[in-house]
mmCIF file of all heavy atoms in Angstrom:
data_model
loop_
_atom_site.group_PDB
_atom_site.id
_atom_site.type_symbol
_atom_site.label_atom_id
_atom_site.label_comp_id
_atom_site.label_asym_id
_atom_site.label_seq_id
_atom_site.Cartn_x
_atom_site.Cartn_y
_atom_site.Cartn_z
ATOM 1 N N MET A 447 52.568 107.566 93.347
ATOM 2 C CA MET A 447 51.965 106.241 93.443
ATOM 3 C C MET A 447 52.447 105.331 92.319
ATOM 4 O O MET A 447 52.848 104.189 92.555
ATOM 5 C CB MET A 447 50.442 106.362 93.392
ATOM 6 C CG MET A 447 49.707 105.042 93.453
ATOM 7 S SD MET A 447 47.928 105.225 93.218
ATOM 8 C CE MET A 447 47.469 106.068 94.721
ATOM 9 N N LEU A 448 52.431 105.824 91.083
ATOM 10 C CA LEU A 448 52.830 104.984 89.960
ATOM 11 C C LEU A 448 54.312 104.662 89.964
ATOM 12 O O LEU A 448 54.739 103.648 89.407
ATOM 13 C CB LEU A 448 52.466 105.669 88.641
ATOM 14 C CG LEU A 448 51.014 105.575 88.186
ATOM 15 C CD1 LEU A 448 50.842 106.256 86.846
ATOM 16 C CD2 LEU A 448 50.560 104.135 88.113
ATOM 17 N N ALA A 469 46.957 102.084 87.369
ATOM 18 C CA ALA A 469 46.424 103.447 87.297
ATOM 19 C C ALA A 469 44.933 103.436 87.010
ATOM 20 O O ALA A 469 44.164 104.203 87.603
ATOM 21 C CB ALA A 469 47.166 104.239 86.226
ATOM 22 N N ARG A 470 44.506 102.570 86.113
ATOM 23 C CA ARG A 470 43.072 102.480 85.805
ATOM 24 C C ARG A 470 42.276 101.992 87.017
ATOM 25 O O ARG A 470 41.178 102.477 87.292
ATOM 26 C CB ARG A 470 42.852 101.535 84.627
ATOM 27 C CG ARG A 470 43.348 102.081 83.290
ATOM 28 C CD ARG A 470 42.795 101.230 82.148
ATOM 29 N NE ARG A 470 43.356 101.643 80.869
ATOM 30 C CZ ARG A 470 44.378 101.040 80.271
ATOM 31 N NH1 ARG A 470 44.964 100.015 80.855
ATOM 32 N NH2 ARG A 470 44.822 101.458 79.106
ATOM 33 N N ALA A 471 42.855 101.012 87.734
ATOM 34 C CA ALA A 471 42.170 100.502 88.924
ATOM 35 C C ALA A 471 42.067 101.583 89.989
ATOM 36 O O ALA A 471 41.030 101.729 90.650
ATOM 37 C CB ALA A 471 42.910 99.286 89.469
ATOM 38 N N ALA A 472 43.129 102.363 90.153
ATOM 39 C CA ALA A 472 43.111 103.444 91.139
ATOM 40 C C ALA A 472 42.109 104.519 90.739
ATOM 41 O O ALA A 472 41.379 105.056 91.577
ATOM 42 C CB ALA A 472 44.509 104.048 91.271
ATOM 43 N N GLU A 473 42.061 104.815 89.445
ATOM 44 C CA GLU A 473 41.097 105.801 88.945
ATOM 45 C C GLU A 473 39.667 105.327 89.210
ATOM 46 O O GLU A 473 38.821 106.093 89.679
ATOM 47 C CB GLU A 473 41.323 106.021 87.458
ATOM 48 C CG GLU A 473 40.386 107.043 86.831
ATOM 49 C CD GLU A 473 40.634 107.203 85.341
ATOM 50 O OE1 GLU A 473 41.161 106.268 84.717
ATOM 51 O OE2 GLU A 473 40.294 108.261 84.805
ATOM 52 N N ALA A 474 39.407 104.053 88.928
ATOM 53 C CA ALA A 474 38.073 103.509 89.139
ATOM 54 C C ALA A 474 37.697 103.488 90.615
ATOM 55 O O ALA A 474 36.523 103.599 90.968
ATOM 56 C CB ALA A 474 37.996 102.097 88.569
ATOM 57 N N ALA A 475 38.719 103.368 91.483
ATOM 58 C CA ALA A 475 38.468 103.317 92.927
ATOM 59 C C ALA A 475 38.248 104.705 93.521
ATOM 60 O O ALA A 475 37.892 104.815 94.695
ATOM 61 C CB ALA A 475 39.624 102.624 93.639
ATOM 62 N N GLY A 476 38.478 105.753 92.740
ATOM 63 C CA GLY A 476 38.144 107.085 93.217
ATOM 64 C C GLY A 476 39.292 107.988 93.590
ATOM 65 O O GLY A 476 39.078 109.004 94.255
ATOM 66 N N VAL A 477 40.528 107.667 93.178
ATOM 67 C CA VAL A 477 41.624 108.584 93.485
ATOM 68 C C VAL A 477 41.440 109.881 92.712
ATOM 69 O O VAL A 477 40.872 109.903 91.616
ATOM 70 C CB VAL A 477 43.008 107.968 93.159
ATOM 71 C CG1 VAL A 477 43.269 106.721 93.989
ATOM 72 C CG2 VAL A 477 43.142 107.673 91.677
ATOM 73 N N ASP A 478 41.914 110.968 93.282
ATOM 74 C CA ASP A 478 41.796 112.266 92.623
ATOM 75 C C ASP A 478 42.870 112.457 91.562
ATOM 76 O O ASP A 478 42.684 113.232 90.623
ATOM 77 C CB ASP A 478 41.887 113.388 93.656
ATOM 78 C CG ASP A 478 40.726 113.337 94.637
ATOM 79 O OD1 ASP A 478 39.584 113.139 94.186
ATOM 80 O OD2 ASP A 478 40.960 113.468 95.848
ATOM 81 N N ALA A 479 44.012 111.781 91.732
ATOM 82 C CA ALA A 479 45.099 111.904 90.761
ATOM 83 C C ALA A 479 46.089 110.772 90.982
ATOM 84 O O ALA A 479 46.173 110.212 92.074
ATOM 85 C CB ALA A 479 45.811 113.253 90.900
ATOM 86 N N VAL A 480 46.827 110.436 89.923
ATOM 87 C CA VAL A 480 47.950 109.515 90.049
ATOM 88 C C VAL A 480 49.220 110.300 89.758
ATOM 89 O O VAL A 480 49.287 111.067 88.793
ATOM 90 C CB VAL A 480 47.813 108.304 89.101
ATOM 91 C CG1 VAL A 480 46.722 107.373 89.584
ATOM 92 C CG2 VAL A 480 47.546 108.740 87.672
ATOM 93 N N LEU A 481 50.223 110.122 90.622
ATOM 94 C CA LEU A 481 51.466 110.876 90.530
ATOM 95 C C LEU A 481 52.559 109.993 89.945
ATOM 96 O O LEU A 481 52.752 108.862 90.382
ATOM 97 C CB LEU A 481 51.885 111.367 91.913
ATOM 98 C CG LEU A 481 53.203 112.159 91.994
ATOM 99 C CD1 LEU A 481 53.050 113.510 91.300
ATOM 100 C CD2 LEU A 481 53.622 112.363 93.437
ATOM 101 N N LEU A 482 53.277 110.530 88.970
ATOM 102 C CA LEU A 482 54.377 109.805 88.346
ATOM 103 C C LEU A 482 55.602 110.702 88.304
ATOM 104 O O LEU A 482 55.548 111.807 87.765
ATOM 105 C CB LEU A 482 53.999 109.371 86.929
ATOM 106 C CG LEU A 482 55.094 108.700 86.107
ATOM 107 C CD1 LEU A 482 55.588 107.427 86.791
ATOM 108 C CD2 LEU A 482 54.593 108.392 84.703
ATOM 109 N N THR A 498 49.051 105.061 76.724
ATOM 110 C CA THR A 498 47.969 104.691 77.628
ATOM 111 C C THR A 498 47.732 105.762 78.679
ATOM 112 O O THR A 498 46.589 106.015 79.069
ATOM 113 C CB THR A 498 48.270 103.343 78.311
ATOM 114 O OG1 THR A 498 48.653 102.403 77.315
ATOM 115 C CG2 THR A 498 47.064 102.827 79.068
ATOM 116 N N LEU A 499 48.799 106.393 79.143
ATOM 117 C CA LEU A 499 48.631 107.478 80.113
ATOM 118 C C LEU A 499 47.762 108.583 79.537
ATOM 119 O O LEU A 499 46.967 109.201 80.241
ATOM 120 C CB LEU A 499 49.999 108.037 80.525
ATOM 121 C CG LEU A 499 50.795 107.227 81.543
ATOM 122 C CD1 LEU A 499 52.198 107.786 81.685
ATOM 123 C CD2 LEU A 499 50.091 107.202 82.891
ATOM 124 N N ARG A 500 47.915 108.839 78.246
ATOM 125 C CA ARG A 500 47.103 109.880 77.610
ATOM 126 C C ARG A 500 45.626 109.502 77.557
ATOM 127 O O ARG A 500 44.768 110.363 77.398
ATOM 128 C CB ARG A 500 47.626 110.165 76.199
ATOM 129 C CG ARG A 500 48.996 110.825 76.177
ATOM 130 C CD ARG A 500 49.376 111.267 74.774
ATOM 131 N NE ARG A 500 50.681 111.901 74.774
ATOM 132 C CZ ARG A 500 51.817 111.282 74.448
ATOM 133 N NH1 ARG A 500 51.778 110.019 74.085
ATOM 134 N NH2 ARG A 500 52.973 111.912 74.482
ATOM 135 N N GLU A 501 45.343 108.212 77.676
ATOM 136 C CA GLU A 501 43.959 107.770 77.655
ATOM 137 C C GLU A 501 43.285 107.896 79.017
ATOM 138 O O GLU A 501 42.058 107.800 79.111
ATOM 139 C CB GLU A 501 43.895 106.310 77.176
ATOM 140 C CG GLU A 501 44.347 106.131 75.729
ATOM 141 C CD GLU A 501 44.441 104.681 75.336
ATOM 142 O OE1 GLU A 501 44.130 103.813 76.182
ATOM 143 O OE2 GLU A 501 44.836 104.402 74.194
ATOM 144 N N LEU A 502 44.084 108.083 80.076
ATOM 145 C CA LEU A 502 43.492 108.327 81.382
ATOM 146 C C LEU A 502 42.811 109.687 81.383
ATOM 147 O O LEU A 502 43.137 110.559 80.571
ATOM 148 C CB LEU A 502 44.570 108.300 82.469
ATOM 149 C CG LEU A 502 45.262 106.963 82.757
ATOM 150 C CD1 LEU A 502 46.438 107.188 83.693
ATOM 151 C CD2 LEU A 502 44.290 105.973 83.352
ATOM 152 N N ALA A 503 41.890 109.867 82.281
ATOM 153 C CA ALA A 503 41.279 111.190 82.414
ATOM 154 C C ALA A 503 42.378 112.208 82.665
ATOM 155 O O ALA A 503 43.235 112.012 83.515
ATOM 156 C CB ALA A 503 40.280 111.186 83.568
ATOM 157 N N ARG A 504 42.375 113.286 81.909
ATOM 158 C CA ARG A 504 43.481 114.239 81.975
ATOM 159 C C ARG A 504 43.695 114.775 83.392
ATOM 160 O O ARG A 504 44.821 114.973 83.836
ATOM 161 C CB ARG A 504 43.206 115.400 81.011
ATOM 162 C CG ARG A 504 44.354 116.404 80.933
ATOM 163 C CD ARG A 504 44.110 117.418 79.822
ATOM 164 N NE ARG A 504 45.252 118.303 79.686
ATOM 165 C CZ ARG A 504 45.385 119.444 80.333
ATOM 166 N NH1 ARG A 504 44.451 119.835 81.180
ATOM 167 N NH2 ARG A 504 46.449 120.207 80.157
ATOM 168 N N ALA A 505 42.601 114.987 84.102
ATOM 169 C CA ALA A 505 42.710 115.549 85.446
ATOM 170 C C ALA A 505 43.345 114.579 86.433
ATOM 171 O O ALA A 505 43.692 114.961 87.538
ATOM 172 C CB ALA A 505 41.335 115.958 85.958
ATOM 173 N N LYS A 506 43.523 113.312 86.019
ATOM 174 C CA LYS A 506 44.020 112.298 86.943
ATOM 175 C C LYS A 506 45.548 112.202 86.955
ATOM 176 O O LYS A 506 46.104 111.520 87.801
ATOM 177 C CB LYS A 506 43.450 110.923 86.590
ATOM 178 C CG LYS A 506 41.939 110.821 86.669
ATOM 179 C CD LYS A 506 41.445 110.808 88.092
ATOM 180 C CE LYS A 506 39.952 110.578 88.150
ATOM 181 N NZ LYS A 506 39.441 110.546 89.520
ATOM 182 N N LEU A 507 46.234 112.816 86.021
ATOM 183 C CA LEU A 507 47.675 112.606 85.884
ATOM 184 C C LEU A 507 48.459 113.816 86.357
ATOM 185 O O LEU A 507 48.259 114.928 85.880
ATOM 186 C CB LEU A 507 48.028 112.299 84.423
ATOM 187 C CG LEU A 507 49.513 112.043 84.132
ATOM 188 C CD1 LEU A 507 50.016 110.840 84.938
ATOM 189 C CD2 LEU A 507 49.729 111.817 82.640
ATOM 190 N N CYS A 508 49.372 113.577 87.312
ATOM 191 C CA CYS A 508 50.277 114.620 87.796
ATOM 192 C C CYS A 508 51.700 114.109 87.643
ATOM 193 O O CYS A 508 52.019 112.995 88.077
ATOM 194 C CB CYS A 508 49.983 114.937 89.267
ATOM 195 S SG CYS A 508 51.129 116.152 89.995
ATOM 196 N N LEU A 509 52.552 114.898 87.019
ATOM 197 C CA LEU A 509 53.938 114.504 86.796
ATOM 198 C C LEU A 509 54.864 115.302 87.703
ATOM 199 O O LEU A 509 54.725 116.521 87.843
ATOM 200 C CB LEU A 509 54.315 114.732 85.335
ATOM 201 C CG LEU A 509 53.505 113.925 84.304
ATOM 202 C CD1 LEU A 509 53.958 114.278 82.897
ATOM 203 C CD2 LEU A 509 53.641 112.436 84.552
ATOM 204 N N ALA A 525 49.941 114.365 78.538
ATOM 205 C CA ALA A 525 48.516 114.461 78.837
ATOM 206 C C ALA A 525 48.259 114.961 80.246
ATOM 207 O O ALA A 525 47.127 114.938 80.718
ATOM 208 C CB ALA A 525 47.877 113.078 78.669
ATOM 209 N N ALA A 526 49.305 115.416 80.923
ATOM 210 C CA ALA A 526 49.167 115.789 82.331
ATOM 211 C C ALA A 526 48.360 117.069 82.497
ATOM 212 O O ALA A 526 48.427 117.982 81.676
ATOM 213 C CB ALA A 526 50.532 115.965 82.972
ATOM 214 N N ALA A 527 47.600 117.122 83.571
ATOM 215 C CA ALA A 527 46.904 118.342 83.937
ATOM 216 C C ALA A 527 47.688 119.116 84.986
ATOM 217 O O ALA A 527 47.495 120.314 85.142
ATOM 218 C CB ALA A 527 45.521 118.015 84.486
ATOM 219 N N ARG A 528 48.588 118.407 85.690
ATOM 220 C CA ARG A 528 49.331 119.033 86.778
ATOM 221 C C ARG A 528 50.789 118.623 86.703
ATOM 222 O O ARG A 528 51.125 117.546 86.227
ATOM 223 C CB ARG A 528 48.768 118.621 88.135
ATOM 224 C CG ARG A 528 47.277 118.701 88.254
ATOM 225 C CD ARG A 528 46.805 118.167 89.594
ATOM 226 N NE ARG A 528 45.396 117.805 89.551
ATOM 227 C CZ ARG A 528 44.754 117.199 90.530
ATOM 228 N NH1 ARG A 528 45.395 116.879 91.630
ATOM 229 N NH2 ARG A 528 43.480 116.902 90.409
ATOM 230 N N CYS A 529 51.632 119.478 87.226
ATOM 231 C CA CYS A 529 53.063 119.204 87.285
ATOM 232 C C CYS A 529 53.593 119.787 88.583
ATOM 233 O O CYS A 529 53.235 120.902 88.967
ATOM 234 C CB CYS A 529 53.768 119.833 86.082
ATOM 235 S SG CYS A 529 55.570 119.716 86.139
ATOM 236 N N GLU A 649 44.769 118.113 98.609
ATOM 237 C CA GLU A 649 45.124 116.795 98.085
ATOM 238 C C GLU A 649 46.199 116.165 98.959
ATOM 239 O O GLU A 649 47.159 116.829 99.357
ATOM 240 C CB GLU A 649 45.623 116.938 96.650
ATOM 241 C CG GLU A 649 45.872 115.642 95.923
ATOM 242 C CD GLU A 649 46.217 115.895 94.464
ATOM 243 O OE1 GLU A 649 45.363 116.418 93.720
ATOM 244 O OE2 GLU A 649 47.361 115.580 94.084
ATOM 245 N N ARG A 651 48.913 113.106 98.870
ATOM 246 C CA ARG A 651 49.563 112.204 97.918
ATOM 247 C C ARG A 651 50.234 111.065 98.678
ATOM 248 O O ARG A 651 51.220 111.266 99.380
ATOM 249 C CB ARG A 651 50.565 112.987 97.072
ATOM 250 C CG ARG A 651 49.843 113.985 96.177
ATOM 251 C CD ARG A 651 50.744 114.871 95.372
ATOM 252 N NE ARG A 651 49.935 115.746 94.512
ATOM 253 C CZ ARG A 651 50.391 116.814 93.879
ATOM 254 N NH1 ARG A 651 51.669 117.172 94.021
ATOM 255 N NH2 ARG A 651 49.594 117.546 93.130
ATOM 256 N N ILE A 669 42.145 102.152 98.935
ATOM 257 C CA ILE A 669 41.791 103.533 98.614
ATOM 258 C C ILE A 669 40.522 103.932 99.343
ATOM 259 O O ILE A 669 40.412 105.043 99.874
ATOM 260 C CB ILE A 669 41.646 103.705 97.089
ATOM 261 C CG1 ILE A 669 43.017 103.594 96.429
ATOM 262 C CG2 ILE A 669 40.990 105.039 96.752
ATOM 263 C CD1 ILE A 669 42.975 103.580 94.908
ATOM 264 N N ARG A 673 40.127 107.052 101.942
ATOM 265 C CA ARG A 673 39.152 108.121 101.727
ATOM 266 C C ARG A 673 38.276 108.326 102.955
ATOM 267 O O ARG A 673 37.891 109.452 103.273
ATOM 268 C CB ARG A 673 38.296 107.816 100.499
ATOM 269 C CG ARG A 673 39.059 107.894 99.177
ATOM 270 C CD ARG A 673 38.139 107.751 97.979
ATOM 271 N NE ARG A 673 37.293 108.917 97.864
ATOM 272 C CZ ARG A 673 37.596 110.013 97.168
ATOM 273 N NH1 ARG A 673 38.754 110.062 96.518
ATOM 274 N NH2 ARG A 673 36.775 111.019 97.086
#
Side-chain angles (χ1 to χ4, degrees):
M447 179 186 291
L448 280 182
R470 290 193 186 98
E473 181 181 24
V477 298
D478 296 316
V480 288
L481 179 68
L482 175 60
T498 311
L499 282 171
R500 292 188 180 98
E501 295 173 1
L502 293 171
R504 184 172 184 270
K506 299 287 185 179
L507 181 60
C508 176
L509 299 178
R528 313 175 200 173
C529 174
E649 187 174 296
R651 293 176 178 166
I669 290 173
R673 291 187 69 90

